[in-house]
Coordinates of all heavy atoms in Angstrom, one line a residue:
V190 N -15.6 -2.6 2.0 CA -16.6 -2.7 0.9 C -16.1 -3.6 -0.2 O -16.9 -4.5 -0.7 CB -16.8 -1.2 0.3 CG1 -17.7 -1.3 -1.0 CG2 -17.5 -0.4 1.4
P191 N -14.9 -3.5 -0.7 CA -14.4 -4.5 -1.8 C -14.5 -5.9 -1.3 O -14.9 -6.8 -2.1 CB -13.0 -4.1 -2.0 CG -12.9 -2.7 -1.6 CD -13.8 -2.6 -0.4
K192 N -14.2 -6.2 -0.1 CA -14.2 -7.6 0.4 C -15.6 -8.1 0.5 O -15.9 -9.3 0.2 CB -13.5 -7.7 1.7 CG -13.4 -9.2 2.3 CD -12.7 -9.2 3.6 CE -12.6 -10.7 4.1 NZ -11.8 -10.8 5.4
L193 N -16.5 -7.3 1.0 CA -17.9 -7.7 1.3 C -18.8 -7.7 0.0 O -19.6 -8.5 -0.2 CB -18.5 -6.9 2.4 CG -19.9 -7.3 2.9 CD1 -19.8 -8.7 3.5 CD2 -20.4 -6.4 4.0
F194 N -18.7 -6.6 -0.8 CA -19.6 -6.4 -1.9 C -18.9 -6.5 -3.3 O -19.1 -7.5 -4.0 CB -20.3 -5.0 -1.7 CG -21.2 -5.0 -0.6 CD1 -20.9 -4.3 0.6 CD2 -22.4 -5.7 -0.6 CE1 -21.7 -4.3 1.7 CE2 -23.3 -5.6 0.5 CZ -22.9 -5.0 1.6
V195 N -18.1 -5.6 -3.6 CA -17.4 -5.7 -5.0 C -16.2 -4.8 -5.0 O -16.1 -3.8 -4.3 CB -18.4 -5.2 -6.1 CG1 -18.7 -3.7 -5.9 CG2 -17.9 -5.5 -7.4
N196 N -15.2 -5.3 -5.7 CA -13.9 -4.6 -5.9 C -14.0 -3.9 -7.2 O -14.0 -4.5 -8.3 CB -12.8 -5.6 -5.9 CG -11.4 -4.9 -5.9 OD1 -11.3 -3.9 -6.6 ND2 -10.5 -5.4 -5.2
N197 N -14.2 -2.5 -7.2 CA -14.4 -1.8 -8.4 C -13.2 -1.9 -9.3 O -13.3 -1.8 -10.6 CB -14.6 -0.3 -8.1 CG -16.1 -0.1 -7.6 OD1 -16.9 -0.9 -7.9 ND2 -16.3 1.0 -6.9
A198 N -12.0 -2.1 -8.8 CA -10.8 -2.1 -9.6 C -10.7 -3.4 -10.5 O -10.4 -3.4 -11.6 CB -9.5 -2.1 -8.7
S199 N -11.1 -4.5 -9.8 CA -11.0 -5.8 -10.6 C -12.4 -6.3 -11.1 O -12.5 -7.1 -11.9 CB -10.5 -6.9 -9.6 OG -11.3 -7.1 -8.5
G200 N -13.5 -5.7 -10.5 CA -14.8 -6.1 -10.9 C -15.2 -7.4 -10.2 O -16.3 -7.9 -10.5
R201 N -14.4 -7.9 -9.3 CA -14.7 -9.2 -8.6 C -15.8 -8.9 -7.5 O -15.6 -8.1 -6.7 CB -13.5 -9.8 -8.1 CG -13.6 -11.2 -7.5 CD -12.3 -11.7 -6.9 NE -11.3 -11.7 -8.0 CZ -10.0 -11.6 -7.7 NH1 -9.6 -11.6 -6.4 NH2 -9.1 -11.6 -8.7
I202 N -16.8 -9.8 -7.5 CA -17.8 -9.6 -6.5 C -17.3 -10.2 -5.1 O -16.4 -11.0 -5.1 CB -19.1 -10.4 -6.9 CG1 -20.3 -10.0 -6.0 CG2 -18.9 -11.9 -6.8 CD1 -21.6 -10.5 -6.6
G203 N -17.8 -9.6 -4.0 CA -17.3 -10.0 -2.7 C -18.0 -11.1 -2.1 O -18.7 -12.0 -2.8
L204 N -18.0 -11.2 -0.8 CA -18.5 -12.4 0.0 C -19.9 -12.6 -0.2 O -20.4 -13.8 -0.3 CB -18.2 -12.2 1.5 CG -16.7 -12.1 1.9 CD1 -16.6 -11.7 3.3 CD2 -15.9 -13.4 1.6
V205 N -20.7 -11.5 -0.3 CA -22.2 -11.7 -0.4 C -22.6 -12.4 -1.7 O -23.7 -13.0 -1.8 CB -22.9 -10.4 -0.3 CG1 -22.7 -9.7 1.0 CG2 -22.5 -9.4 -1.5
G206 N -21.7 -12.5 -2.7 CA -22.0 -13.2 -3.9 C -21.7 -14.6 -3.9 O -22.2 -15.4 -4.8
Y207 N -21.0 -15.1 -2.9 CA -20.6 -16.5 -2.9 C -21.1 -17.3 -1.7 O -21.1 -18.6 -1.7 CB -19.1 -16.6 -2.9 CG -18.5 -16.1 -4.2 CD1 -18.0 -14.8 -4.3 CD2 -18.4 -16.9 -5.3 CE1 -17.5 -14.3 -5.5 CE2 -17.9 -16.4 -6.5 CZ -17.4 -15.1 -6.6 OH -16.9 -14.6 -7.7
W208 N -21.5 -16.6 -0.6 CA -21.8 -17.3 0.6 C -23.3 -17.2 0.9 O -23.9 -16.1 0.6 CB -21.0 -16.8 1.8 CG -19.5 -17.1 1.6 CD1 -18.6 -16.2 1.1 CD2 -18.8 -18.3 1.9 NE1 -17.4 -16.8 1.0 CE2 -17.5 -18.1 1.5 CE3 -19.2 -19.5 2.5 CZ2 -16.5 -19.0 1.7 CZ3 -18.2 -20.4 2.7 CH2 -16.9 -20.2 2.3
D209 N -23.9 -18.2 1.5 CA -25.3 -18.1 1.9 C -25.5 -17.2 3.1 O -26.6 -16.6 3.3 CB -25.9 -19.5 2.2 CG -26.0 -20.4 1.0 OD1 -25.8 -19.8 -0.2 OD2 -26.2 -21.6 1.1
C210 N -24.5 -17.2 4.0 CA -24.6 -16.4 5.2 C -23.3 -15.8 5.5 O -22.3 -16.5 5.5 CB -25.1 -17.3 6.3 SG -25.0 -16.6 8.0
V211 N -23.3 -14.5 5.7 CA -22.1 -13.8 6.2 C -22.4 -13.2 7.6 O -23.3 -12.4 7.8 CB -21.8 -12.6 5.2 CG1 -20.5 -11.8 5.7 CG2 -21.5 -13.1 3.8
A212 N -21.6 -13.7 8.5 CA -21.8 -13.4 9.9 C -20.7 -12.5 10.4 O -19.5 -12.8 10.1 CB -21.9 -14.6 10.8
F213 N -21.0 -11.5 11.2 CA -20.0 -10.5 11.7 C -19.9 -10.9 13.2 O -20.8 -10.6 14.0 CB -20.5 -9.1 11.5 CG -20.6 -8.7 10.1 CD1 -21.7 -9.0 9.3 CD2 -19.6 -7.9 9.5 CE1 -21.8 -8.6 8.0 CE2 -19.7 -7.5 8.2 CZ -20.8 -7.9 7.4
D214 N -18.7 -11.4 13.6 CA -18.4 -11.7 15.0 C -17.9 -10.5 15.7 O -17.3 -9.6 15.0 CB -17.4 -12.9 15.0 CG -17.4 -13.5 16.4 OD1 -18.3 -13.2 17.2 OD2 -16.4 -14.2 16.7
E215 N -18.1 -10.5 17.0 CA -17.6 -9.3 17.8 C -18.1 -8.0 17.2 O -17.3 -7.0 17.1 CB -16.1 -9.4 17.9 CG -15.6 -10.6 18.6 CD -14.1 -10.7 18.6 OE1 -13.4 -9.8 18.1 OE2 -13.6 -11.7 19.2
F216 N -19.3 -8.0 16.8 CA -19.9 -6.8 16.1 C -20.1 -5.6 17.1 O -20.0 -4.5 16.7 CB -21.2 -7.2 15.4 CG -21.8 -6.1 14.6 CD1 -21.1 -5.8 13.4 CD2 -22.9 -5.5 14.9 CE1 -21.7 -4.8 12.6 CE2 -23.5 -4.5 14.1 CZ -22.8 -4.1 12.9
A217 N -20.4 -6.0 18.3 CA -20.7 -4.9 19.3 C -19.4 -4.2 19.8 O -18.3 -4.8 19.6 CB -21.4 -5.5 20.5
G218 N -19.5 -3.0 20.3 CA -18.4 -2.3 20.8 C -18.6 -0.8 20.5 O -18.4 -0.4 19.3

C-alpha cells in the first residue's frame, strides 16, 4: 500500500501519483 498509493508515515504519494501506467507482472497464481 505505501509503495503503490501513499506512505502514511512520510506522507509521500506512491507509484500511482507519478506514473501514467502501473502494470503488475506475473499477477496470476
Side-chain angles (χ1 to χ4, degrees):
V190 172
K192 181 177 180 180
L193 187 59
F194 292 104
V195 69
N196 188 321
N197 282 338
S199 64
R201 186 181 304 157
I202 196 168
L204 298 174
V205 296
Y207 294 95
W208 298 92
D209 292 349
C210 172
V211 178
F213 296 80
D214 195 12
E215 299 176 359
F216 186 69

